[in-house]
Amino acid sequence: MRTSKIAALLFVLFLIIPRASYSANADSTFRAWGYLNYTLLFSPDWVFTIMPGYSYEFSRNDADSAAPHGAQSSVLNELYFGPAYVVQAGEFTLKLPFWYSFQGYPTAYRDMYHFSHNLDFLPVIQFTHNGLELITRLFLENKFHTTRVPEGSNKQGYSLQFRPLVRVNYWLTSSVALTLADEAYLGLVQDSNNKSGPEPGFARKGFSENRFMAGMEYKFSPFTSIAPQYMLRTLYDPASSHKLLGIDHCAFIQFNYIVRL
């Protein structure tokens, strides 16, 4: 049974691992990226999550030598918070979070500090069986304000980005799991009154990003865990050519803390 589960995990890895065509014309970076997932458990049906995030860039290689910022910089800070309704039925769990999110880029652009405001709906379906977890998250990011617009454009607007994620967790013991995940970024609605620019600008239509993650999760207790992972982030031009624009190698870590009220 254990052998078949590991084989299934490796098969999923083969399916979801990105097949980026690495190009000498693509920028590459090395970053550290982390989140603190702080969850307040009001009841078995209702939770409230507060999740700040931060990313630091240690080095970069710019193919076009026109970097928007220097290496060794804080490139991103984020804040997500909001409630979620949870339904459990046997081995299935359905979570319906509705969050507000803030995305800020402290030194990502030399001219000013850019940020955006978003409303996010991210239903999660989780299936658990004998230590094997299959998690599907359908993330709908509704952006309604951003400072990253061309001069003269309106900072108020609307874009919708769809970020489907598939994650597989295989628990070797009650405390240690192997994890694999893949998340794609697909622009569904592009703002009609603003030219879309780099993040955190309004999303452009089409496929723009993929994130592949592999690592582990360790539970200190039923309410506390840590998940160190490697993340390969590939950025693409959403135009039909889907040119590879950048590659980020990230040491990614998430701390999870649950408080039962």
Side-chain angles (χ1 to χ4, degrees):
M1 181 65 70
R2 178 179 291 266
T3 302
S4 63
K5 290 179 180 177
I6 293 177
L9 194 65
L10 293 175
F11 178 70
V12 172
L13 171 63
F14 174 78
L15 290 178
I16 67 177
I17 190 168
R19 291 163 171 75
S21 56
Y22 290 83
S23 169
N25 294 323
D27 300 343
S28 61
T29 71
F30 292 89
R31 296 179 176 181
W33 200 330
Y35 289 98
L36 172 60
N37 189 340
Y38 186 79
T39 302
L40 303 174
L41 185 61
F42 291 99
S43 72
D45 300 328
W46 286 100
V47 301
F48 190 93
T49 298
I50 304 170
M51 190 172 70
Y54 174 77
S55 179
Y56 185 88
E57 187 171 288
F58 292 98
S59 66
R60 67 182 299 117
N61 177 23
D62 292 284
D64 58 5
S65 69
H69 62 89
Q72 299 185 354
S73 303
S74 297
V75 292
L76 174 66
N77 51 46
E78 300 173 277
L79 177 63
Y80 297 84
F81 63 83
Y85 181 66
V86 182
V87 179
Q88 288 189 306
E91 296 178 322
F92 288 90
T93 302
L94 173 65
K95 302 177 183 178
L96 299 173
F98 185 73
W99 291 355
Y100 159 82
S101 66
F102 171 88
Q103 298 171 347
Y105 291 76
T107 59
Y109 302 100
R110 297 187 187 277
D111 52 350
M112 65 176 293
Y113 177 85
H114 285 292
F115 59 88
S116 69
H117 299 291
N118 316 275
L119 291 176
D120 306 320
F121 178 57
L122 47 157
V124 178
I125 302 173
Q126 178 177 330
F127 173 74
T128 305
H129 181 72
N130 291 339
L132 188 64
E133 292 179 336
L134 177 61
I135 302 169
T136 302
R137 188 195 69 194
L138 307 175
F139 195 126
L140 296 168
E141 181 181 81
N142 301 270
K143 191 181 301 293
F144 61 90
H145 176 92
T146 177
T147 61
R148 184 64 179 175
V149 293
E151 186 175 354
S153 295
N154 191 349
K155 296 179 181 180
Q156 309 293 335
Y158 178 74
S159 68
L160 174 62
Q161 192 168 55
F162 179 44
R163 296 166 46 182
L165 176 144
V166 176
R167 179 182 299 276
V168 179
N169 297 336
Y170 176 54
W171 291 93
L172 302 172
T173 69
S174 59
S175 302
V176 180
L178 300 178
T179 67
L180 292 171
D182 193 76
E183 180 179 20
Y185 280 56
L186 304 168
L188 300 182
V189 177
Q190 183 171 319
D191 190 89
S192 58
N193 297 318
N194 291 287
K195 292 182 179 179
S196 301
E199 53 189 6
F202 291 110
R204 296 171 60 188
K205 279 188 177 181
F207 173 61
S208 62
E209 183 175 333
N210 191 84
R211 296 181 181 183
F212 170 76
M213 290 157 279
M216 62 171 292
E217 182 173 352
Y218 178 77
K219 285 187 178 181
F220 297 97
S221 74
F223 304 103
T224 309
S225 68
I226 184 173
Q229 301 173 71
Y230 163 73
M231 178 168 70
L232 175 64
R233 180 172 177 251
T234 47
L235 308 173
Y236 301 88
D237 184 344
S240 58
S241 61
H242 292 118
K243 177 184 176 182
L244 180 65
L245 301 177
I247 304 166
D248 294 338
H249 301 276
C250 305
F252 183 81
I253 190 167
Q254 181 167 309
F255 300 92
N256 303 298
Y257 188 63
I258 300 173
V259 177
R260 188 188 297 272
L261 299 176

